[in-house]
Amino acid sequence: VLDLGGTNITVFNIKDNGKLTINDSKPTTEHKFKVDDNGLWILDAEGTKTVKGGVITGGSATGNGGAISVGSTSTLTLNGGNIVGNTATQSGGGVCNKGTFTMKDGAISDNTAAEGSHLYNAAGATAEIAWNGSVLFSGETEDTSTVVNKGTMYLAAEEGQSITFHN
């Protein structure tokens, strides 16, 4: 678990020409969350919401990319894990992508932003969402949108699998 506790900082800021790959090494580990008064999920051993696997949470940005901000010439690959309970005042409460973002399995849920609460894919950016199990975009927050795509987005699933968007 990477928890910034709501501090005003983006968890990962992948600057131009940077590359980062995150692998979820313990996808069955359970983490409990509670929902705060603003609708954000916060780690809490007594919480009623459960997430399995690695977690990036508690990021907060004045601007874009509450949890992760990907620069225009940068690449992020996320292999499993969860991006939960982050916030941005502008775009991409979970992920603000201006470069190349690939997600293979996992969840982006219960983040907030003025635009693209979970994923904001900017003009000129590329996002690839590929899964063989599940990728879930969901949330209990009432902001403007779950996923905003102004660039190129590829969605791919193995036969018999599905992607789920809830808002």
Side-chain angles (χ1 to χ4, degrees), residues 33-104:
F33 287 80
K34 69 176 183 178
V35 180
D36 74 5
D37 293 338
N38 297 315
L40 286 176
W41 287 26
I42 298 172
L43 279 170
D44 186 322
E46 303 299 317
T48 59
K49 306 289 185 180
T50 302
V51 171
K52 289 185 178 181
V55 178
I56 299 171
T57 189
S60 175
T62 302
N64 302 316
I68 298 172
S69 178
V70 182
S72 62
T73 58
S74 296
T75 301
L76 169 66
T77 301
L78 183 62
N79 295 315
N82 304 274
I83 301 171
V84 179
N86 301 282
T87 187
T89 59
Q90 293 178 9
S91 301
V95 177
C96 180
N97 179 39
K98 295 179 181 177
T100 301
F101 171 62
T102 301
M103 183 172 185
K104 299 175 182 175

Side-chain angles (χ1 to χ4, degrees), residues 113-137:
E115 186 175 32
S117 59
H118 304 323
L119 172 60
Y120 179 85
N121 195 47
T126 301
E128 180 180 346
I129 310 301
W131 61 100
N132 58 15
S134 65
V135 173
L136 175 69
F137 294 93

